[in-house]
Amino acid sequence: MGTYRTISKPSEPILYKERKSKFYGYCFPVTNEDEVKEYIEGLKKEYPTANHVCYAWQMGIESLSYRANDDGEPNNSAGMPIYGQLQSFDVTNTLVAVVRVFGGTKLGVGGLISAYKEAAKLALENATIIKKVLQQHLSVSFEYSEMDIVMRLVKKHQLEVISQELHLKCKIILSIPKSEFMKMFKLLKAHHKLDITLIE
């Protein structure tokens, strides 16, 4: 597993109607729960008449965590159907929120499940889903005289330089696709004058 799927930016809202109730679906890229909180609070401000802002998120790459929230709807009638769509689209670091403005007709649990599921599905279809390569970071320290060797390696293997300090003592931080990591690590290690540290 060298790649994962996520969304590149917040999606435009979509509207799904079911028996006069309006369901507005949104997707947001997230990496922590504080961001989730901000987005949900923002939606509550944007829709002061909304009865419910239900959501689910999935985060992490190699070990996933998730949460589903029904926000006052009957148990498992909103958050879990939304979460199910995150799973079927196979995305992570993503929050899907569905804002419900009640239209006067009760939908029943079955109706709610299918409405929240559909709104989440449409929101994800409307989002820009991208594939990202899993990266591992390495710090390489070396004397200025070794600069040429290091830069040739970087160029030859098209490694991404995240940061560099080039003085008498130099240090660069490289981002390497996980699938290539062991190969590159050994290659760099073979140059005895380079000091290599793995960054967790």
Side-chain angles (χ1 to χ4, degrees), residues 9 18 30 48 65 181:
K9 59 183 189 293
E18 181 65 47
V30 287
S65 59
F181 182 74

Side-chain angles (χ1 to χ4, degrees), residues 63-137:
S63 60
L64 295 174
S65 59
Y66 77 92
R67 179 152 303 148
N69 187 314
D70 295 315
D71 192 32
E73 291 282 31
N75 217 357
N76 292 335
S77 66
M80 285 314 278
I82 296 171
Y83 175 59
Q85 291 306 302
L86 279 167
Q87 285 182 300
S88 74
F89 278 80
D90 187 27
V91 288
T92 187
N93 294 350
T94 302
L95 161 69
V96 176
V98 178
V99 179
R100 180 188 182 195
V101 180
F102 187 54
T105 310
K106 284 200 183 304
L107 300 180
V109 171
L112 288 172
I113 289 172
S114 80
Y116 279 106
K117 179 184 169 186
E118 191 56 31
K121 178 174 171 254
L122 293 170
L124 280 157
E125 282 174 354
N126 195 32
T128 310
I129 294 175
I130 53 170
K131 217 176 214 187
K132 284 195 162 181
V133 176
L134 278 176
Q135 300 280 351
Q136 183 85 52
H137 294 166

